[in-house]
Amino acid sequence: MAEQLAGLADDRALLGRTSTAERVSDILRSRIAEGYFPPGTRLSEDSIGGALGVSRNTLREAFRLLTHERLLVHELNRGVFVRVVTVEDVEDIYRTRMLVECAVVRGLGEPPYTLDGLRASVTEGQVAALENDWKELGTANFHFHRELVALAGSARTDELMRSVFAELRLAFHLVGEPRRLHEPYLQRNRQILQALEAGDRQGAAKLLETYLTDSLARVVEVYRRRVGEDSTS
């Protein structure tokens, strides 16, 4: 916990003099997604509030916002914890991804498309794979899908999927095995990018639909096995 709190103290400068619960929740959301606070971790109001230099009321409002996003859970007389995602949650997350991400690609309109963000995330993933940094490859993979959603040019869609991706990363942290989860999809990201570069949004959407279907099956398989192992240990 000391290392995580030290990281939060570094983020204190981001708050400035116009600190808000929304900004605190942005910082905590990022830290949760990055695995600084793994699923099941109890979040201390005193420690986190002190690290960020915010009031108890501001921190509680940030906790409330993240609870609404299903990233935290409040347990009576115990405190606030990073949520442990269920298999059913994972399946629902992927249903949402299928609806939103595929719709974004199919609705792009006529090419050319602004693909710099997608290209950068594919390059980021390639570099991570070459360095055998599988956690960073997972981050690059999320960046790819974030940039894909951003092609819609919708702030509301970006906000919705930001929470969806953060919740999905909770499941990935519990499952582990980042190489097995992410390495197979680096090439698929590149194929989707190539289809969009060619102006083939329908082809890209079909590739994405297959991608998400296969990813869900892989995640649920590993997740069920890992949760089963934990329950019998």
Side-chain angles (χ1 to χ4, degrees):
M1 178 63 77
E3 180 180 350
Q4 293 95 321
L5 294 176
L8 285 179
D10 292 338
D11 288 329
R12 182 171 179 172
L14 298 176
L15 298 175
R17 299 180 64 182
T18 58
S19 174
T20 64
E22 287 81 6
R23 291 185 180 181
V24 173
S25 66
D26 285 344
I27 290 172
L28 293 178
R29 185 188 300 105
S30 296
R31 291 293 180 172
I32 290 168
E34 292 165 2
Y36 284 88
F37 299 112
T41 301
R42 181 180 180 275
L43 301 184
S44 166
E45 288 185 1
D46 291 339
S47 298
I48 294 176
L52 289 175
V54 298
S55 70
R56 186 180 295 270
N57 286 340
T58 296
L59 187 60
R60 285 178 176 174
E61 175 62 12
F63 283 172
R64 187 192 67 80
L65 293 171
L66 295 176
T67 300
H68 181 70
E69 294 179 18
R70 300 172 61 81
L71 297 179
L72 302 181
V73 60
H74 181 267
E75 297 185 10
L76 189 63
N77 298 325
R78 293 194 64 215
V80 175
F81 295 80
V82 179
R83 191 163 170 269
V84 178
V85 178
T86 67
V87 171
E88 290 74 21
D89 290 324
V90 172
E91 291 170 339
D92 192 39
I93 287 167
Y94 271 87
R95 278 193 293 269
T96 303
R97 294 187 66 189
M98 189 77 74
L99 287 169
V100 174
E101 293 186 51
C102 292
V104 166
V105 173
R106 290 194 177 98
L108 283 177
E110 296 302 316
Y113 310 119
T114 304
L115 302 174
D116 290 347
L118 285 180
R119 293 189 186 100
S121 63
V122 168
T123 299
E124 179 186 355
Q126 291 170 334
V127 171
L130 287 173
E131 296 177 350
N132 294 323
D133 189 342
W134 309 116
K135 181 178 179 181
E136 188 60 29
L137 177 58
T139 298
N141 194 28
F142 276 100
H143 288 169
F144 179 87
H145 290 277
R146 182 190 65 193
E147 294 295 337
L148 193 69
V149 170
L151 293 175
S154 166
R156 291 175 179 82
T157 305
D158 290 343
E159 183 176 357
L160 166 67
M161 295 307 293
R162 178 181 63 179
S163 297
V164 169
F165 290 143
E167 191 177 359
L168 180 59
R169 293 194 77 163
L170 290 182
F172 283 1
H173 292 314
L174 185 61
V175 167
E177 302 185 17
R179 180 173 187 173
R180 184 170 182 233
L181 284 175
H182 302 299
E183 187 179 26
Y185 300 100
L186 178 58
Q187 176 62 24
R188 293 193 180 197
N189 289 346
R190 190 182 300 110
Q191 291 171 344
I192 292 169
L193 172 60
Q194 290 170 344
L196 291 175
E197 288 175 330
D200 183 9
R201 68 177 185 271
Q202 295 301 328
K206 289 179 181 179
L207 288 169
L208 178 60
E209 185 174 354
T210 302
Y211 175 125
L212 292 174
T213 299
D214 292 347
S215 179
L216 171 61
R218 181 181 293 270
V219 172
V220 168
E221 174 202 350
V222 180
Y223 200 81
R224 286 187 188 279
R225 185 175 73 248
R226 180 60 56 85
V227 171
E229 290 172 353
D230 291 345
S231 65
T232 57
S233 61

